[in-house]
Amino acid sequence: MNDVPEELRNIKIKMSGRDIRKEEYGKYNRSNWLKYFSNDADLLLILEKYPSPLSRSVFSEIGSKDVDSVRQLFFATMLWGYSTVGYGAFRTDLMLKTSDSISKLQDAYSLVASGHIANAYRALSLDECGPAYISKLLYAFGLATNASPLPIILDSRVAGTLRRLLPDHRPYFHVNKGGTVLRDADGYERTVKLINDWAT
């Protein structure tokens, strides 16, 4: 295991007692989503129950019911993740049009709950769902199921920080020249374990 970086040790006191699940919010534009999902009962339920902005705590509220709530959890994650980005609903629509999309989401949800992170990552083979959004979904599923280890979000922002903190990030993840994280299920699982070890 890599030792906890000194930079993280130094900010530990500032983080004490904070719960970012309640602090972090994702604003969304309701009308953008209704263009694609105006008759979708799951999305309408989420829009009604969780008006903008969303906090991460809704992942636990929605997903803790059971695997049958995974489609609602998926919508909440996409609303939170895409925030006010205009193409979020369009991409979400393409993801859901992927063959067996709901089965893939349910499989990933169950795999996260049982601690099989790399297999959950592989299960999320949805059109237009790249590594950043795979990790966002796994993170939401982890909060929903109280998973251990808890999956983390690994997008370009997080990867940029981890590249600074880790002397050699290559066993964990790879990025392209633009800093975008590349698809790697096993590396992602190693990253999740590392961050959970640091947190412990």
Side-chain angles (χ1 to χ4, degrees):
M1 178 184 107
N2 285 286
D3 292 334
V4 179
E6 190 64 27
E7 185 177 344
L8 292 184
R9 291 182 181 278
N10 291 338
I11 65 169
K12 179 181 175 187
I13 293 172
K14 293 178 186 176
M15 296 175 66
S16 180
R18 289 177 58 191
D19 187 346
I20 65 168
R21 290 171 296 181
K22 296 176 181 175
E23 293 176 3
E24 297 287 327
Y25 290 88
K27 295 180 180 179
Y28 63 83
N29 184 330
R30 178 186 176 99
S31 62
N32 284 352
W33 291 84
L34 290 175
K35 288 177 190 173
Y36 289 88
F37 302 104
S38 60
N39 296 313
D40 191 293
D42 286 328
L43 177 71
L44 293 174
L45 185 149
I46 298 301
L47 294 177
E48 181 68 26
K49 190 168 182 182
Y50 303 103
S52 180
L54 287 170
S55 76
R56 301 177 193 217
S57 63
V58 303
F59 303 148
S60 300
E61 293 173 24
I62 298 167
S64 60
K65 299 169 189 170
D66 55 45
V67 73
D68 292 331
S69 63
V70 75
R71 195 169 184 277
Q72 294 170 15
L73 182 57
F74 170 78
F75 273 124
T77 307
M78 294 297 111
L79 286 165
W80 176 82
Y82 278 114
S83 187
T84 55
V85 174
Y87 55 77
F90 168 74
R91 287 197 176 169
T92 299
D93 185 45
L94 293 177
M95 290 180 207
L96 286 175
K97 286 178 178 172
T98 304
S99 178
D100 297 324
S101 60
I102 302 307
S103 294
K104 291 174 179 180
L105 289 165
Q106 291 175 333
D107 288 347
Y109 179 97
S110 297
L111 287 162
V112 165
S114 59
H116 297 96
I117 304 302
N119 288 336
Y121 189 104
R122 290 185 192 98
L124 287 174
S125 56
L126 304 172
D127 294 341
E128 295 298 321
C129 189
Y133 274 85
I134 289 173
S135 71
K136 286 177 172 71
L137 282 165
L138 297 181
Y139 171 70
F141 294 171
L143 290 178
T145 61
N146 200 25
S148 182
L150 177 66
I152 66 158
I153 294 172
L154 183 59
D155 56 17
S156 57
R157 291 177 58 191
V158 174
T161 299
L162 286 176
R163 289 170 72 187
R164 194 178 75 244
L165 295 173
L166 284 169
D168 183 9
H169 68 275
R170 288 170 295 181
Y172 302 99
F173 62 90
H174 299 279
V175 294
N176 65 17
K177 289 182 181 179
T180 301
V181 177
L182 302 176
R183 196 177 296 262
D184 178 0
D186 294 323
Y188 175 75
E189 185 170 55
R190 286 190 290 272
T191 306
V192 167
K193 184 176 185 318
L194 174 70
I195 300 303
N196 278 262
D197 286 346
W198 283 355
T200 300

